Amino acid sequence: MKRGAPHLDHADVAIVGAGPAGLMAAVAAAGGGRRAVVLEQLEGPGRKLLASGGGRCNLTNTLAPDALAARFGRQGRFLRPAIEAMDSQGLRAFLDSLGVATHAPDGVHVYPASEKAADVLGALRRRLKELGVAVRAQMCVTGLWLEGGVLGGIETGGGRVAAQRVILATGGKGYPGLGATGTGYALARQAGHTLVEPTPALVPLVTRETWPRHCAGVSLPLARVRIDLPRQPRAGLLGAVLFTHTGLSGPAVLDLSGDVAALLAGRESVPLRIDLSPGTTRHEWLARFGRWQEGAAAKTVRALLDRHLPRALVAAMLRLAGMDLDGRAAGLGRASQQRLADLLTALPLEVVATEGWGRAMVTRGGIPLKEVDPETLGSRRLPGLFFAGEILDLDGPSGGFNLQWAFSSGYLAGRAASQPRD
């Protein structure tokens, strides 16, 4: 925008993005005595928050801070200051102070007691109103306002918003219809930041094989999934797996999907192996088949396997093994036993794509962590600029980790932005 452009607003802290990170940043900044304004491109705040957890809003989990940070892997060290500023207990206490009780029905995953994301958003909006924070919706941010390399605020399609401190909480690229269009990356580049190429994460996977569509909707409560490539952990991930019309989903698959998406950037496909019944080894399956031949010879292999796995999946395994669906245990030859044991313990599937940004719950990639001070989430490139949430190259598994990071990072960035400059 040209010099002399009209001022739309002025504030001490301008926050771009009204998701959980941006709203919490505004609460923290205003709570620190600063005048804050939130700019949101959609017609209202918190659209992705409303959709989280199917509307139930898995806010966080009951893990201790060290265990929670460890689940972020190599990135865990960076998020420690944010978690120390607001851990899961702190988040629950904060929400309780706003009138939103929380509970952990399974002892691990934490939800609002009403299991309504709208209650969380409503409480945050009321708190912002109490603090005098303006949330300006349908605001198209076009750039940072820089004068001689000094941050002056935000440029928008309707004028400038003057602010000495700016927090970018624009999210990543997942679910673009809910506002995550990656617009913050251009703003960060304007400040001199680079970008780790974003890829979808926590996203369903598309397989080359078409047989999973015949098992669509079938869920295994516990399976082990691993990437079958050199230098990939052989232990894989343990959790629920869901078969879909296009391939695979479920917590274990979603948690692995970021790694798969990153590999797909340089490969045509990524091989997976799935242990359908962890705890039962290949040797134990073979021993079980032997017992079937001795004590249940007249029963079909399908009926016997149905006791251990969903019926549709059993049928698929028998077909893949080249076996008759009505074949009796008495006729289960050694070669068939070997093929079936291999499939049950290391089912091969070839992933050729993810279901893309439209189904990605989070983004892997973004602003490199080395360019940001973890103690304040302030930019190392431009004084006065801060980051919060998914815009940074930091993502966690499913189960409340990413929302906890959003709230914690928003709180830390807002608190830091409210401090006087040295």
Side-chain angles (χ1 to χ4, degrees), residues 5 33 103 105 166 259 277-278 291 294 299 301 310 329 340 361 399 416:
H103 71 158
V166 172
D259 293 335
S277 182
R291 292 194 297 272
E294 293 176 3
K299 294 184 178 180
V301 175
L340 191 55
M361 298 180 195

Side-chain angles (χ1 to χ4, degrees), residues 173-197:
K173 297 179 69 176
Y175 288 127
L178 299 178
T181 56
T183 55
Y185 301 145
L187 303 179
R189 282 194 176 109
Q190 189 183 351
H193 286 276
T194 59
L195 185 68
V196 176
E197 186 63 30

Side-chain angles (χ1 to χ4, degrees), residues 54-299:
R56 294 177 63 206
C57 195
N58 183 188
L59 293 159
T60 183
N61 53 64
T62 58
L63 293 182
D66 285 345
L68 189 148
R71 292 294 301 277
F72 284 80
R74 61 181 177 79
Q75 302 164 320
R77 185 175 179 181
F78 181 90
L79 63 77
R80 284 304 301 270
I83 296 299
E84 290 170 1
M86 177 174 277
D87 62 13
S88 61
Q89 290 186 351
L91 175 60
R92 297 181 73 176
F94 167 74
L95 291 171
D96 189 64
S97 73
L98 300 185
V100 179
T102 59
H103 71 158
D106 62 358
V108 178
H109 301 94
V110 176
Y111 301 87
S114 65
E115 302 209 349
K116 294 180 180 178
D119 290 347
V120 178
L121 178 59
L124 289 170
R125 296 187 71 172
R126 289 191 296 273
R127 182 57 180 154
L128 291 176
K129 187 175 181 179
E130 293 170 356
L131 292 168
V133 177
V135 179
R136 300 194 177 279
Q138 295 182 303
M139 186 66 63
C140 179
V141 173
T142 58
L144 299 176
W145 172 17
L146 301 174
E147 294 281 358
V150 176
L151 182 64
I154 293 292
E155 305 269 19
T156 80
R160 285 173 171 165
V161 176
Q164 290 188 329
R165 305 290 179 90
V166 172
I167 301 174
L168 298 184
T170 52
K173 297 179 69 176
Y175 288 127
L178 299 178
T181 56
T183 55
Y185 301 145
L187 303 179
R189 282 194 176 109
Q190 189 183 351
H193 286 276
T194 59
L195 185 68
V196 176
E197 186 63 30
T199 56
L202 296 188
V203 60
L205 301 177
V206 178
T207 60
R208 188 184 306 279
E209 296 85 356
T210 59
W211 67 259
R213 72 179 61 164
H214 301 295
C215 297
V218 170
S219 177
L220 295 173
L222 191 65
R224 187 179 299 278
V225 187
R226 65 180 176 88
I227 298 172
D228 190 23
L229 287 173
R231 295 185 295 277
Q232 294 294 326
R234 288 194 62 81
L237 293 179
L238 196 64
V241 170
L242 173 68
F243 291 88
T244 71
H245 288 285
T246 59
L248 297 169
S249 188
V253 172
L254 295 175
D255 289 348
L256 199 66
S257 64
D259 293 335
V260 173
L263 289 166
L264 285 172
R267 302 173 54 94
E268 291 186 357
S269 64
V270 174
L272 299 183
R273 295 278 180 166
I274 304 178
D275 185 346
L276 301 177
S277 182
T280 304
T281 66
R282 185 177 184 278
H283 176 76
E284 288 168 340
W285 276 114
L286 291 171
R288 179 175 289 165
F289 298 156
R291 292 194 297 272
W292 290 353
Q293 287 189 310
E294 293 176 3
K299 294 184 178 180

Side-chain angles (χ1 to χ4, degrees), residues 405-416:
W405 162 242
F407 285 120
S408 295
S409 61
Y411 181 79
L412 178 60
R415 188 179 68 178

Side-chain angles (χ1 to χ4, degrees), residues 316-392:
M317 295 304 97
L318 293 176
R319 291 190 185 99
L320 290 173
M323 297 170 59
D324 184 351
L325 296 186
D326 296 319
R328 306 289 171 175
L332 187 58
R334 188 64 180 171
S336 294
Q337 292 183 36
Q338 298 278 358
R339 289 195 301 272
L340 191 55
D342 287 341
L343 290 168
L344 295 171
T345 55
L347 173 65
L349 284 165
E350 198 84 6
V351 177
V352 294
T354 73
E355 289 195 10
W357 291 117
R359 296 291 307 279
M361 298 180 195
V362 300
T363 300
R364 176 163 297 186
I367 309 307
L369 301 184
K370 65 182 180 182
E371 297 177 7
V372 179
D373 181 357
E375 297 294 332
T376 63
L377 299 183
S379 167
R380 298 188 190 272
R381 300 287 187 266
L382 180 65
L385 181 65
F386 297 82
F387 299 95
E390 198 176 341
I391 189 173
L392 290 163

